[in-house]
Amino acid sequence: MTVDNHIGTPPAKRRLSPWLAGMFLCLALVVVASASLASGYLDIGVADIAGLFRSKAIGSPVLLDEAAAVTIWEVRLPRILTALVCGAALALSGAVFQGLLLNPLADPYTLGVSSGAAFGASGTVILGLLFPGAALFAEPWAMTLGAFAAASLTLAAVILLAQDADRRLSPTNLILAGVILSAILSAAISFVKYLAGDQVESIVFWLLGSFQARTWADAGVIIVFFIPALFVSLWSAVDLNIMTMGARAAETLGVNTKRVRLSLLAAVSLAAAAAVSVSGVIGFVGLIVPHLVRILAGPDHRSLLPLSALGGALLLSLADMAVRSWLPGEIPVGVLTALLAGPAFLVIFRKRMAGRDNG
Amino acid sequence: MDERQSTGPRLSVRDVRFKHGPQLVLDSVTLDFAPGRHYAVLGPNGAGKSTLLDLLSRLARPASGSILVEGRNISEYTPGGLARLVSLAPQECRLDFPFTIREVARMGRRPYLGRWGCLDVEDERAVERAIAGLHLGSIADKPVTALSGGERRRAVVARTVAQDAPIMLLDEPTSGLDVAQALSVMALMKRFAGEGRLVVTVSHDLDLAAAFCHEAVFLKAGRVAAAGPIGECFTPDILAAVYDAEAAVRPDPFLGGLSASFRPRKAENGS
């Protein structure tokens, strides 16, 4: 039995240095974001964009013409930033969920966050139909707010349902509670779609996931939830390493598993809920990015978590640039990621299984 | 037992009961464990051996009675404080993520480390000593997901050894190991006891226990059936009562302990 044949779990000496991987990802992210900023319907040169940034920074008058400046500053920049931070949040929470639930198939949606958000968003559309007079439901941010509220409530319900008599949270119970609630919510969403009638299109489009017409407010929402999630999960990275050996082992090593699990669940789930509520349902980013990072740079969460966040940011900004500039007719980005990352995940999964069998 | 001169920590179990749901798993268990001794916890399946280790490492709390570590109630310790005193090699341990053996052993240093988990020279020395003690040096950089059952078992024991606690609890550390590995693990534990630590090993292998342990604790159906030095409680009567079979005990000069053999009980009085 040689380890070198064991696909998916290379020996330590063949792992990439986390610093090298991090620098590469940062560089790639800067390149993609700049390219994305310069591409689109209006042809605006990189030099002009740099000029705009410089004049915004030092407060000098903007030399670029009005339409181009607005396109960059109010359309492309918030959209790119939203996509980037959403990708980072989804991949970070995927990595944390996989470690916490001891399940490589876990992702931000395992605990019902996406179903909750989808139900909240579609519920907002219905409320708008039921109360045509209420301005609240017509606001552009109403769907975001509804999605976020419902996602957070779903998560709280999952945690409450999964607690056993000793108020402990086992990974299995969490996954089961998440699956059950997701199933109920999916049925509720179908019912809401049926109720929506002609309005069903806006619900379906939201569910597909897109960064079209995202504003600075959307970018703000996801950034506000992503930053604390990043800090909380880095704070617990060492304990998370130990908790992958099971809660019992972790407790005999002095880890307060209950506190770590609850704080991590809360922080990354809220970040995932925020991501879903500003972008809709974008699948597979939270699943595949941590897997790839683990294969390339090892399972240590101290490097896995920041590298996953960078990888997720890169993947989603690339995907959004593709649907925005290269592909015809603005395919929803959630469709693209599912179509590309789904089969890729299948390949990794099959290779891992092959590795297990003869390893 | 109280006259024994020793400086290390001791462990006492006072009239402990433990229930799992409605079922009484341990009942009125009173035991004293002294430093410098290697204890074997023996008994049939379901006797409460693993539960006893859970209670001694605070993975479970007794329904009544108390457990004292160095004279203080176990519930008074902080998680980190207890982890510096008591280590446990559990029988089951998840190793689903491709950490290397060395990384797993390093996790044993968690009770001594800061938030970012950086090891100093002394930590690294303890890790390397543990890896060498379990003869894992040549495969220390292999991911644990690619190991055989016996190698995984030894990786978990290496993590426990790296924890370097004065009280070591091991739940069947030799299960799944081949003969040479099992002998070397038991010899290592005996050596740790010789250094003044308190080592408690749950085992199914009576001959290994008799050769490498100083004391035996026999559990049966949640109660202490017998406890004392190996020479005193490895008797045919006690073994027969604990294991429900006819037993014979012979000295084993080859391994340097005792050898027990069993045969089924003859049918008694029409039963």
Side-chain angles (χ1 to χ4, degrees):
Chain A
M1 183 193 70
T2 58
V3 194
D4 297 301
N5 292 338
H6 202 275
I7 299 154
T9 54
K13 39 184 181 290
R14 285 216 277 130
R15 283 182 194 160
L16 227 60
S17 147
W19 295 108
L20 204 67
M23 280 191 307
F24 170 77
L25 284 172
C26 282
L27 199 69
L29 199 55
V30 169
V31 170
V32 168
S34 315
S36 186
L37 210 51
S39 62
Y41 181 70
L42 265 183
D43 196 11
I44 307 168
V46 177
D48 288 338
I49 295 169
L52 175 68
F53 271 82
R54 201 181 309 124
S55 45
K56 285 275 183 187
I58 61 175
S60 66
V62 176
L63 302 172
L64 216 56
D65 73 86
E66 183 71 20
V70 167
T71 302
I72 294 294
W73 201 258
E74 299 296 334
V75 179
R76 289 186 194 168
L77 195 56
R79 174 177 184 159
I80 291 165
L81 208 58
T82 308
L84 191 149
V85 186
C86 274
L90 289 174
L92 174 77
S93 46
V96 169
F97 275 126
Q98 286 165 17
L100 212 52
L101 302 179
L102 300 173
N103 189 329
L105 287 176
D107 78 347
Y109 303 152
T110 309
L111 297 189
V113 171
S114 70
S115 316
F119 176 72
S122 41
T124 316
V125 173
I126 289 300
L127 286 175
L129 288 179
L130 289 178
F131 306 102
L136 174 70
F137 302 115
E139 294 282 350
W141 43 262
M143 268 176 116
T144 305
L145 187 69
F148 184 75
S152 315
L153 282 177
T154 308
L155 178 78
V158 166
I159 290 178
L160 282 177
L161 284 171
Q163 274 184 353
D164 62 13
D166 301 328
R167 296 174 64 86
R168 271 198 290 244
L169 289 166
S170 82
T172 321
N173 286 348
L174 279 168
I175 293 172
L176 280 176
V179 168
I180 294 168
L181 271 187
S182 290
I184 296 172
L185 285 169
S186 296
I189 292 166
S190 299
F191 182 57
V192 166
K193 278 190 199 162
Y194 165 76
L195 285 181
D198 294 344
Q199 286 286 311
V200 75
E201 201 183 332
S202 67
I203 295 178
V204 169
F205 193 74
W206 190 91
L207 289 178
L208 288 173
S210 169
F211 293 107
Q212 211 174 355
R214 291 303 182 265
T215 62
W216 280 108
D218 293 311
V221 166
I222 180 62
I223 288 170
V224 159
F225 284 95
F226 170 69
I227 303 277
L230 184 64
F231 277 106
V232 169
S233 46
L234 284 179
W235 176 258
S236 301
V238 172
D239 289 344
L240 194 53
N241 281 345
I242 293 172
M243 283 171 68
T244 62
M245 295 189 294
R248 285 164 51 86
E251 239 153 74
T252 62
L253 287 165
V255 177
N256 188 337
T257 56
K258 211 162 132 184
R259 194 163 68 196
V260 171
R261 189 172 284 153
L262 213 55
S263 62
L264 280 174
L265 270 181
V268 301
S269 302
L270 288 178
V276 181
S277 52
V278 301
S279 69
V281 179
I282 296 178
F284 283 104
V285 175
L287 192 56
I288 198 165
V289 171
H291 266 276
L292 287 173
V293 173
R294 218 177 272 119
I295 289 170
L296 291 175
D300 190 332
H301 287 88
R302 286 172 293 184
S303 52
L304 176 68
L305 298 178
L307 290 179
S308 293
L310 283 172
L314 181 65
L315 181 65
L316 259 199
S317 22
L318 206 57
D320 187 51
M321 179 165 79
V323 295
R324 199 163 62 85
S325 320
W326 301 338
L327 299 173
E330 279 262 28
I331 305 171
V333 69
V335 174
L336 182 74
T337 60
L339 284 178
L340 290 183
F345 183 71
L346 209 58
V347 171
I348 295 177
F349 174 66
R350 290 296 304 179
K351 280 190 171 177
R352 268 177 65 102
M353 273 178 31
R356 281 268 158 76
D357 287 345
N358 56 34
Chain B
M1 192 170 280
D2 287 64
E3 305 99 309
R4 190 173 288 124
Q5 290 296 313
S6 60
T7 49
R10 46 186 66 240
L11 202 53
S12 314
V13 179
R14 295 264 167 274
D15 198 24
V16 158
R17 281 156 56 94
F18 181 79
K19 279 179 161 178
H20 189 78
Q23 193 197 346
L24 201 57
V25 182
L26 288 176
D27 190 14
S28 39
V29 171
T30 296
L31 288 165
D32 273 295
F33 298 94
R37 308 289 283 172
H38 186 192
Y39 291 81
V41 177
L42 304 160
N45 290 332
K49 304 187 293 292
S50 297
T51 305
L52 179 64
L53 289 199
D54 281 1
L55 289 166
L56 293 178
S57 55
R58 206 171 59 182
L59 285 176
R61 316 252 175 173
S64 67
S66 56
I67 291 159
L68 306 176
V69 181
E70 278 196 307
R72 268 175 70 191
N73 195 305
I74 196 168
S75 58
E76 293 171 22
Y77 286 91
T78 62
L82 192 65
R84 285 187 287 272
L85 275 179
V86 181
S87 63
L88 169 72
Q91 202 179 346
E92 304 276 335
C93 185
R94 306 277 303 245
L95 296 171
D96 303 340
F97 287 74
F99 288 103
T100 64
I101 292 181
R102 183 169 279 116
E103 285 172 322
V104 166
R106 280 179 181 154
M107 292 182 198
R109 300 304 293 173
R110 163 66 172 74
Y112 310 95
L113 303 181
R115 182 46 53 188
W116 203 236
C118 294
L119 284 78
D120 65 15
V121 183
E122 196 192 323
D123 294 316
E124 289 288 4
R125 207 177 289 139
V127 168
E128 295 311 317
R129 225 175 17 230
I131 288 171
L134 274 300
H135 305 292
L136 292 165
S138 59
I139 52 170
D141 288 320
K142 258 196 187 184
V144 285
T145 42
L147 299 181
S148 70
E151 289 166 338
R152 289 160 75 97
R153 197 84 204 88
R154 284 187 291 150
V156 173
V157 176
R159 186 193 78 206
T160 311
V161 171
Q163 199 173 341
D164 201 20
I167 299 174
M168 299 177 70
L169 313 172
L170 301 109
D171 201 347
E172 302 205 24
T174 58
S175 74
L177 301 193
D178 61 37
V179 173
Q181 291 165 355
L183 286 170
S184 106
V185 166
M186 289 302 276
L188 184 69
M189 294 309 138
K190 189 174 186 179
R191 207 178 76 215
F192 283 139
E195 291 170 3
R197 286 178 222 254
L198 158 51
V199 186
V200 181
T201 303
V202 166
S203 180
H204 270 298
D205 191 321
L206 290 169
D207 296 354
L208 273 183
F212 291 101
C213 296
H214 305 108
E215 313 253 345
V217 172
F218 283 102
L219 291 180
K220 189 178 186 193
R223 288 173 176 273
V224 179
I230 294 285
E232 285 171 28
C233 53
F234 255 63
T235 65
D237 288 345
I238 290 176
L239 290 179
V242 169
Y243 289 100
D244 284 322
E246 275 189 41
V249 177
R250 288 181 306 277
D252 181 356
F254 185 67
L255 187 56
L258 298 165
S259 178
S261 37
F262 295 90
R263 67 179 179 205
R265 274 201 177 125
K266 293 192 188 86
E268 295 158 20
N269 306 339
S271 66

